[in-house]
């Protein structure tokens, strides 16, 4: 296989992987209004708050990757994640506002023990990536984002185990599926 054929094959694979990430996340569908089922519990609220908390650092990382990534597959993935998470945030914020709940999770570490703790604000990761040389950027970005997405999966698992709102639990399942697909794809890119 020559370099040109290999490049086309990798491009098609990247496009297919990006489409898979978007499809699994439900991206492209309009954000729904808050659930008609207005019953919720602390697990539902915590999951939604954690989605907000994970969004900010992910947004910073994907924006930096859009500027600095050297491989088109990494840039495409970062763009797909950015679009997906922006769509999710609209839904998350609508639920929290409809339920008159704060958007930020409580900072007591004991409350977050079941799902791996609170994420950072992304400043440290962005500072590290900003200083990372161009030839190492993609791998470092992917490594950081894999860790980030693993944390989101843990928060989603806590929701599916303890939440009561059926629509929020359905979001948690979609989040779990999409983040697992993203992590699997990122592991192949990071090699």
């Amino acid at each position: 296989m020559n370099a040109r054929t290999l490049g086309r094959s990798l491009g098609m694979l990247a496009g297919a992987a990006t489409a898979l990430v978007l499809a699994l996340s439900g991206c492209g569908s309009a954000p729904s209004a808050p659930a008609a089922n207005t019953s919720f519990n602390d697990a539902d609220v915590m999951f939604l708050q954690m989605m907000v908390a994970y969004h900010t650092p992910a947004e910073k990382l994907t924006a930096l990757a859009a500027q600095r990534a050297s491989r088109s597959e990494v840039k495409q993935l970062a763009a797909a994640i950015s679009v997906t998470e922006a769509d999710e945030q609209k839904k998350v914020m609508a639920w929290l506002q409809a339920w008159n709940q704060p958007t930020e999770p409580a900072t007591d570490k004991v409350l977050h023990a079941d799902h791996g703790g609170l994420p950072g604000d992304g400043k440290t990761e962005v500072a590290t990536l900003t200083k990372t040389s161009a030839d190492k950027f993609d791998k470092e970005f992917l490594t950081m984002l894999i860790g980030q997405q693993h944390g989101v999966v843990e928060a989603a698992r806590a929701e599916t185990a303890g939440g009561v709102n059926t629509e929020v639990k359905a979001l948690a399942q979609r989040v779990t599926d999409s983040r697992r697909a993203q992590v699997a794809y990122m592991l192949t890119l990071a090699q």
Side-chain angles (χ1 to χ4, degrees):
M1 179 179 287
N2 65 33
R4 188 173 179 186
T5 304
L6 179 61
R8 270 196 305 251
S9 296
L10 288 174
M12 290 184 340
L13 177 62
T18 301
L20 174 65
V21 168
L22 290 171
L24 285 173
S25 66
C27 185
S29 60
S32 60
N37 173 6
T38 57
S39 63
F40 63 93
N41 66 7
D42 289 344
D44 297 314
V45 172
M46 176 69 73
F47 168 66
L48 297 174
Q49 290 171 335
M50 292 301 291
M51 289 293 291
V52 172
Y54 275 109
H55 178 69
T56 299
E59 187 176 44
K60 290 176 183 177
L61 291 174
T62 56
L64 190 57
Q67 297 169 1
R68 294 214 43 220
S70 59
R71 295 170 57 195
S72 62
E73 301 92 350
V74 174
K75 285 186 176 194
Q76 288 173 351
L77 178 67
I81 289 171
S82 181
V83 168
T84 297
E85 292 189 6
D87 184 57
E88 290 170 351
Q89 285 303 297
K90 291 174 188 173
K91 294 173 187 176
V92 164
M93 296 301 284
W95 276 314
L96 289 171
Q97 290 168 0
W99 297 342
N100 294 317
Q101 296 297 311
T103 58
E104 294 183 14
T107 57
D108 184 351
K109 292 180 182 182
V110 173
L111 296 173
H112 304 285
D114 290 343
H115 56 258
L118 282 170
D121 61 9
K123 291 178 184 174
T124 303
E125 292 86 354
V126 168
T128 299
L129 281 176
T130 301
K131 296 174 189 171
T132 301
S133 63
D135 63 321
K136 295 181 181 176
F137 178 88
D138 289 5
K139 188 168 187 168
E140 189 68 27
F141 162 74
L142 291 167
T143 300
M144 287 181 182
L145 198 56
I146 287 168
Q148 160 94 15
Q149 300 301 52
H150 177 72
V152 175
V153 169
E154 290 304 312
R157 283 182 182 168
E159 167 59 19
T160 55
V164 296
N165 186 285
T166 55
E167 290 186 77
V168 175
K169 287 178 77 154
L171 173 64
Q173 187 58 57
R174 285 191 308 274
V175 164
T176 298
D177 294 342
S178 72
R179 296 321 189 270
R180 284 182 177 164
Q182 289 170 9
V183 167
Y185 182 55
M186 286 187 282
L187 287 170
T188 66
L189 291 177
Q191 295 178 358

